[in-house]
Coordinates of all heavy atoms in Angstrom, one line a residue:
L1 N 19.7 -6.6 7.9 CA 19.0 -7.2 6.7 C 19.5 -8.7 6.7 O 20.7 -9.0 7.1 CB 19.4 -6.6 5.4 CG 19.0 -5.1 5.3 CD1 19.5 -4.5 4.0 CD2 17.5 -4.9 5.3
Q2 N 18.6 -9.6 6.3 CA 18.9 -11.0 6.3 C 20.0 -11.4 5.2 O 19.8 -11.0 4.1 CB 17.7 -11.8 6.1 CG 17.9 -13.3 6.1 CD 18.6 -13.9 7.3 OE1 18.2 -13.5 8.4 NE2 19.5 -14.8 7.1
R3 N 21.0 -12.0 5.6 CA 22.0 -12.4 4.7 C 21.6 -13.6 3.8 O 20.7 -14.3 4.1 CB 23.3 -12.8 5.4 CG 23.2 -14.1 6.3 CD 24.5 -14.5 6.8 NE 24.4 -15.5 7.8 CZ 25.5 -16.2 8.3 NH1 26.7 -16.0 7.9 NH2 25.3 -17.1 9.2
Q4 N 22.2 -13.7 2.6 CA 22.0 -14.8 1.7 C 20.5 -15.0 1.3 O 20.1 -16.1 1.1 CB 22.5 -16.1 2.3 CG 24.0 -16.0 2.7 CD 24.5 -17.1 3.6 OE1 23.7 -17.9 4.1 NE2 25.8 -17.3 3.6
L5 N 19.8 -13.9 1.1 CA 18.4 -14.0 0.8 C 18.0 -12.8 -0.1 O 18.4 -11.7 0.2 CB 17.6 -13.9 2.1 CG 16.1 -14.1 2.0 CD1 15.7 -15.6 1.7 CD2 15.4 -13.6 3.3
P6 N 17.2 -13.1 -1.1 CA 16.7 -11.9 -1.9 C 15.8 -11.0 -0.9 O 15.0 -11.6 -0.2 CB 15.8 -12.6 -3.0 CG 16.4 -14.0 -3.1 CD 16.8 -14.4 -1.7
L7 N 16.1 -9.7 -1.0 CA 15.5 -8.9 0.0 C 14.5 -7.9 -0.5 O 14.8 -7.1 -1.5 CB 16.6 -8.1 0.7 CG 17.6 -8.9 1.5 CD1 18.8 -8.0 1.9 CD2 16.9 -9.5 2.7
N8 N 13.3 -7.9 0.0 CA 12.2 -7.0 -0.4 C 12.5 -5.6 0.2 O 12.8 -5.6 1.4 CB 10.8 -7.5 0.0 CG 10.5 -8.8 -0.6 OD1 10.6 -9.0 -1.8 ND2 9.9 -9.7 0.2
V9 N 12.4 -4.6 -0.6 CA 12.4 -3.2 -0.1 C 11.2 -2.6 -0.7 O 11.0 -2.6 -1.9 CB 13.7 -2.5 -0.4 CG1 13.6 -1.0 0.1 CG2 14.9 -3.2 0.1
W10 N 10.3 -1.9 0.1 CA 9.1 -1.4 -0.4 C 8.7 -0.1 0.3 O 9.3 0.3 1.3 CB 8.0 -2.5 -0.2 CG 7.5 -2.7 1.2 CD1 6.5 -2.1 1.9 CD2 8.1 -3.7 2.1 NE1 6.4 -2.6 3.1 CE2 7.3 -3.6 3.3 CE3 9.1 -4.6 2.0 CZ2 7.6 -4.3 4.4 CZ3 9.4 -5.4 3.2 CH2 8.6 -5.3 4.3
G11 N 7.7 0.5 -0.3 CA 7.2 1.8 0.3 C 6.2 2.4 -0.6 O 5.5 1.7 -1.3
W12 N 6.1 3.7 -0.6 CA 5.1 4.5 -1.2 C 5.7 5.7 -2.0 O 6.8 6.2 -1.6 CB 4.1 5.0 -0.2 CG 3.5 3.9 0.6 CD1 2.3 3.2 0.2 CD2 4.0 3.3 1.8 NE1 2.1 2.2 1.2 CE2 3.1 2.3 2.1 CE3 5.1 3.6 2.6 CZ2 3.3 1.5 3.3 CZ3 5.3 2.8 3.7 CH2 4.4 1.8 4.1
A13 N 5.1 6.0 -3.1 CA 5.5 7.2 -3.9 C 4.3 7.6 -4.7 O 3.2 6.9 -4.7 CB 6.7 6.8 -4.8
E14 N 4.4 8.7 -5.5 CA 3.4 9.1 -6.4 C 3.3 8.0 -7.5 O 4.3 7.4 -7.9 CB 3.7 10.4 -7.0 CG 3.5 11.6 -6.1 CD 3.6 12.9 -6.8 OE1 3.9 12.9 -8.0 OE2 3.4 14.0 -6.1
P15 N 2.1 7.8 -8.0 CA 1.9 6.8 -9.1 C 2.8 7.3 -10.3 O 2.8 8.4 -10.7 CB 0.4 7.0 -9.4 CG -0.2 7.3 -8.2 CD 0.8 8.2 -7.5
G16 N 3.5 6.3 -10.8 CA 4.4 6.6 -11.9 C 5.8 7.2 -11.6 O 6.6 7.3 -12.4
E17 N 5.9 7.6 -10.3 CA 7.2 8.2 -9.9 C 8.3 7.1 -9.9 O 8.2 6.0 -9.4 CB 7.1 8.8 -8.5 CG 8.4 9.4 -8.0 CD 8.2 10.0 -6.6 OE1 7.1 9.9 -6.0 OE2 9.2 10.5 -6.0
E18 N 9.4 7.5 -10.5 CA 10.6 6.6 -10.6 C 11.3 6.5 -9.2 O 11.6 7.6 -8.6 CB 11.6 7.0 -11.7 CG 12.7 6.0 -11.8 CD 13.5 6.2 -13.1 OE1 13.1 6.0 -14.2 OE2 14.7 6.7 -12.9
V19 N 11.5 5.3 -8.7 CA 12.1 5.1 -7.4 C 13.4 4.3 -7.7 O 13.4 3.2 -8.3 CB 11.2 4.4 -6.5 CG1 11.9 4.1 -5.1 CG2 9.9 5.2 -6.3
T20 N 14.5 4.7 -7.1 CA 15.8 4.0 -7.2 C 16.3 3.7 -5.8 O 16.3 4.5 -4.9 CB 16.8 4.9 -7.9 OG1 16.4 5.3 -9.2 CG2 18.2 4.2 -8.0
V21 N 16.7 2.4 -5.7 CA 17.2 1.9 -4.4 C 18.7 1.4 -4.7 O 18.9 0.6 -5.6 CB 16.4 0.7 -3.9 CG1 17.0 0.1 -2.6 CG2 14.9 1.1 -3.7
K22 N 19.6 1.9 -3.8 CA 21.0 1.5 -4.0 C 21.4 0.9 -2.6 O 21.2 1.5 -1.6 CB 21.8 2.8 -4.3 CG 21.5 3.4 -5.6 CD 22.5 4.5 -6.0 CE 22.2 5.1 -7.3 NZ 23.1 6.2 -7.6
F23 N 22.1 -0.2 -2.8 CA 22.7 -0.9 -1.6 C 23.8 -1.7 -2.0 O 23.7 -2.6 -2.8 CB 21.6 -1.7 -0.9 CG 22.1 -2.4 0.3 CD1 22.3 -1.7 1.5 CD2 22.3 -3.8 0.3 CE1 22.8 -2.4 2.6 CE2 22.7 -4.5 1.5 CZ 23.0 -3.7 2.6
H24 N 25.0 -1.5 -1.3 CA 26.2 -2.4 -1.4 C 26.5 -2.7 -2.8 O 26.7 -3.9 -3.2 CB 25.9 -3.6 -0.6 CG 27.1 -4.4 -0.3 ND1 28.4 -3.9 0.0 CD2 27.4 -5.8 -0.3 CE1 29.3 -4.8 0.2 NE2 28.7 -6.0 0.1
G25 N 26.6 -1.7 -3.7 CA 26.9 -1.9 -5.1 C 25.8 -2.3 -6.0 O 26.0 -2.4 -7.2
Q26 N 24.6 -2.4 -5.5 CA 23.4 -2.7 -6.3 C 22.6 -1.5 -6.5 O 22.5 -0.6 -5.7 CB 22.5 -3.8 -5.6 CG 23.2 -5.1 -5.3 CD 22.2 -6.0 -4.7 OE1 21.1 -6.2 -5.1 NE2 22.6 -6.7 -3.6
T27 N 22.0 -1.4 -7.7 CA 21.0 -0.4 -8.0 C 19.8 -1.0 -8.6 O 19.9 -1.7 -9.6 CB 21.6 0.6 -9.0 OG1 22.8 1.3 -8.4 CG2 20.6 1.7 -9.3
K28 N 18.7 -0.8 -8.0 CA 17.4 -1.3 -8.5 C 16.4 -0.2 -8.7 O 16.3 0.8 -7.9 CB 16.8 -2.3 -7.5 CG 17.7 -3.4 -7.1 CD 17.9 -4.4 -8.2 CE 18.8 -5.6 -7.8 NZ 18.9 -6.6 -8.9
T29 N 15.7 -0.2 -9.8 CA 14.8 0.9 -10.2 C 13.4 0.3 -10.5 O 13.2 -0.7 -11.1 CB 15.3 1.6 -11.4 OG1 16.6 2.2 -11.1 CG2 14.4 2.8 -11.7
T30 N 12.4 1.1 -10.0 CA 11.0 0.7 -10.3 C 10.2 2.0 -10.3 O 10.7 3.1 -10.3 CB 10.5 -0.2 -9.2 OG1 9.2 -0.7 -9.6 CG2 10.4 0.5 -7.8
K31 N 8.9 1.9 -10.5 CA 8.0 3.0 -10.4 C 6.8 2.8 -9.5 O 6.4 1.7 -9.3 CB 7.4 3.3 -11.9 CG 8.5 3.8 -12.8 CD 7.9 4.2 -14.2 CE 8.9 4.7 -15.1 NZ 8.3 5.1 -16.4
G32 N 6.3 3.9 -8.9 CA 5.1 3.8 -8.1 C 4.0 3.3 -8.9 O 3.7 3.8 -10.0
G33 N 3.3 2.4 -8.3 CA 2.1 1.8 -9.0 C 0.9 2.8 -8.9 O 0.9 3.8 -8.3
D34 N -0.2 2.4 -9.5 CA -1.4 3.2 -9.5 C -1.9 3.4 -8.1 O -2.6 4.5 -7.8 CB -2.5 2.5 -10.3 CG -2.2 2.5 -11.8 OD1 -1.3 3.3 -12.3 OD2 -2.8 1.6 -12.6
D35 N -1.6 2.5 -7.2 CA -2.1 2.7 -5.8 C -1.0 3.4 -4.9 O -1.2 3.5 -3.7 CB -2.4 1.3 -5.2 CG -1.2 0.4 -5.2 OD1 -0.1 0.7 -5.7 OD2 -1.3 -0.7 -4.6
G36 N 0.0 3.8 -5.6 CA 1.1 4.6 -4.8 C 2.1 3.7 -4.1 O 2.9 4.2 -3.3
T37 N 2.1 2.4 -4.4 CA 3.1 1.5 -3.8 C 4.2 1.1 -4.7 O 4.0 1.2 -6.0 CB 2.4 0.3 -3.2 OG1 1.9 -0.5 -4.3 CG2 1.2 0.6 -2.3
W38 N 5.3 0.8 -4.2 CA 6.4 0.3 -5.0 C 7.2 -0.8 -4.2 O 7.1 -0.9 -3.0 CB 7.4 1.4 -5.5 CG 8.0 2.1 -4.3 CD1 7.5 3.3 -3.8 CD2 9.2 1.8 -3.6 NE1 8.3 3.7 -2.7 CE2 9.4 2.8 -2.6 CE3 10.1 0.7 -3.7 CZ2 10.4 2.7 -1.7 CZ3 11.2 0.7 -2.8 CH2 11.3 1.7 -1.8
K39 N 7.9 -1.6 -5.0 CA 8.8 -2.6 -4.4 C 9.9 -3.0 -5.3 O 9.7 -3.1 -6.5 CB 8.0 -3.9 -4.0 CG 8.8 -5.0 -3.3 CD 8.0 -6.3 -3.2 CE 8.2 -7.1 -4.4 NZ 7.7 -8.5 -4.2
V40 N 11.1 -3.2 -4.7 CA 12.2 -3.8 -5.4 C 12.7 -5.0 -4.6 O 12.4 -5.1 -3.4 CB 13.4 -2.8 -5.7 CG1 12.9 -1.6 -6.5 CG2 14.0 -2.4 -4.4
V41 N 13.5 -5.8 -5.3 CA 14.1 -7.0 -4.6 C 15.6 -6.9 -4.8 O 16.1 -7.0 -5.9 CB 13.5 -8.3 -5.2 CG1 14.2 -9.5 -4.4 CG2 12.0 -8.4 -5.0
L42 N 16.3 -6.8 -3.7 CA 17.8 -6.8 -3.7 C 18.3 -8.2 -3.9 O 17.8 -9.1 -3.3 CB 18.3 -6.1 -2.5 CG 18.0 -4.6 -2.3 CD1 18.5 -4.2 -0.9 CD2 18.6 -3.8 -3.4
D43 N 19.5 -8.3 -4.5 CA 20.1 -9.6 -4.6 C 20.7 -10.0 -3.2 O 21.0 -9.1 -2.4 CB 21.3 -9.5 -5.6 CG 20.8 -9.2 -7.0 OD1 19.6 -9.5 -7.4 OD2 21.5 -8.5 -7.8
P44 N 20.9 -11.3 -3.0 CA 21.4 -11.7 -1.7 C 22.8 -11.1 -1.4 O 23.6 -10.9 -2.3 CB 21.5 -13.2 -1.9 CG 20.4 -13.6 -2.9 CD 20.5 -12.4 -3.8

């Protein structure tokens, strides 16, 4: 992963499904959109 840069992490899930991403002490949460896609942005 690129250092010193806000990092996009994305994928697919059921619409409305809660998705949690954990990395190096960070936790980001979002939900699957109506089209089944989701995205979070990790801190640098």
Side-chain angles (χ1 to χ4, degrees):
L1 300 175
Q2 177 59 44
R3 64 173 170 171
Q4 301 170 345
L5 183 76
L7 296 171
N8 298 314
V9 180
W10 70 91
W12 302 270
E14 287 188 357
E17 180 179 356
E18 185 171 285
V19 177
T20 300
V21 178
K22 295 183 178 182
F23 180 71
H24 195 38
Q26 300 182 47
T27 300
K28 304 289 183 179
T29 301
T30 188
K31 290 184 178 182
D34 292 341
D35 61 354
T37 68
W38 58 266
K39 185 188 83 167
V40 301
V41 181
L42 296 173
D43 299 331

